[in-house]
Amino acid sequence: PACAQGPLVLDDLIGKRYDADSGLPDESATAMVQTPDGFLWFGTFSGLARFDGLAFDVYTPANTPAMPDDGVVNLHLDRAGFLWCSTFAGIVRMKDGVWNRFGRDEGWTSDYARTFAEAPDGTLYVTGFDGKVLRFGGERFVELPPPPGRQQGALGHCDPEGRFWAVKGSFVGYLNGGEWKAVVEGPASGNDQARGGPARDGALWVIRGDDLLKVGASGVIARFSLTRPVTGF
């Protein structure tokens, strides 16, 4: 479709801008994934949109009864090809046009997904904004013990060995035999915000307050002090 402000020329690339006038159900997107069939999926607060390169198809409870709510908070594509969609009122997954909704009867006890993390064997972990952590076992969710520290939505990560990590301002560590093992002791300095992401060697990079940490199961591998705390996560 024609973009609202014409093509954007970026050196030797040409970009197009898509907005509500182009068929998006909202002016901004909360998440984006691409499924194996080539479609791009965008989560918005006004519906789930599928883009085929030309036009958007929008999925809402009005035309997709399995969708719990218009507001899409997060998306995830798992190794099996399922598209997971977390909304303000529950979570649903889709593959090959078949939708499955998960509510309390299927073990979904959180509010909505802050992060998805998938282990090498396909085990899926979800952290909620309410501080809960859930594991999907193929048919239903199982609520796990919450990470220690202040109740807040943790950021989840799975390392190459299949360990599930939780990162938040008051705790950095992983699940070990059903119990949490702290790798970084004490609360964050500077502020109570944290972020984490995978390192190329399988370790985990963590920004926590005014510290940049590289951590592994054995502990802190490297620590760097930032000139000021990173905020605005």
Side-chain angles (χ1 to χ4, degrees), residues 40-76:
L40 288 174
W41 295 80
F42 297 89
T44 79
F45 290 140
S46 299
L48 176 66
R50 187 187 71 176
F51 185 58
D52 62 4
L54 296 174
F56 293 93
D57 290 320
V58 179
Y59 299 81
T60 68
N63 58 24
T64 307
M67 285 285 293
D69 191 82
D70 288 343
V72 177
V73 179
N74 208 346
L75 299 174
H76 174 72

Side-chain angles (χ1 to χ4, degrees), residues 157 167 195-207 212-215 222-224:
H157 170 72
V167 175
R195 274 290 186 267
R200 292 181 180 179
D201 59 3
L204 181 66
W205 285 106
V206 176
I207 294 178
L212 172 62
L213 308 172
K214 188 177 184 181
V215 301
R223 183 189 299 265
F224 306 92

Side-chain angles (χ1 to χ4, degrees), residues 59-222:
Y59 299 81
T60 68
N63 58 24
T64 307
M67 285 285 293
D69 191 82
D70 288 343
V72 177
V73 179
N74 208 346
L75 299 174
H76 174 72
L77 180 71
D78 69 20
R79 286 179 169 81
F82 285 98
L83 173 67
W84 290 88
C85 177
S86 177
T87 77
F88 284 129
I91 195 165
V92 66
R93 72 175 184 178
M94 186 277 296
K95 184 179 181 181
D96 299 329
V98 178
W99 299 78
N100 302 110
R101 182 173 177 174
F102 296 88
R104 288 194 170 270
D105 290 343
E106 294 77 33
W108 179 254
T109 58
S110 185
D111 49 4
Y112 33 88
R114 187 177 190 192
T115 60
F116 293 88
E118 193 171 356
D121 65 359
T123 301
L124 184 67
Y125 297 86
V126 185
T127 65
F129 279 83
D130 58 3
K132 293 183 178 180
V133 175
L134 299 100
R135 181 182 63 226
F136 185 70
E139 297 292 335
R140 59 183 291 109
F141 285 94
V142 175
E143 187 174 334
L144 303 175
R150 189 172 73 85
Q151 184 175 352
Q152 63 183 132
L155 305 174
H157 170 72
C158 286
D159 65 22
E161 284 71 44
R163 286 181 287 261
F164 174 70
W165 290 74
V167 175
K168 57 182 182 177
S170 55
F171 179 81
V172 177
Y174 62 92
L175 269 177
N176 183 27
E179 296 183 354
W180 289 99
K181 178 178 174 58
V183 172
V184 182
E185 299 295 341
S189 58
N191 60 42
D192 198 29
Q193 300 186 62
R195 274 290 186 267
R200 292 181 180 179
D201 59 3
L204 181 66
W205 285 106
V206 176
I207 294 178
R208 189 168 174 262
D210 53 11
D211 287 327
L212 172 62
L213 308 172
K214 188 177 184 181
V215 301
S218 60
V220 177
I221 300 169

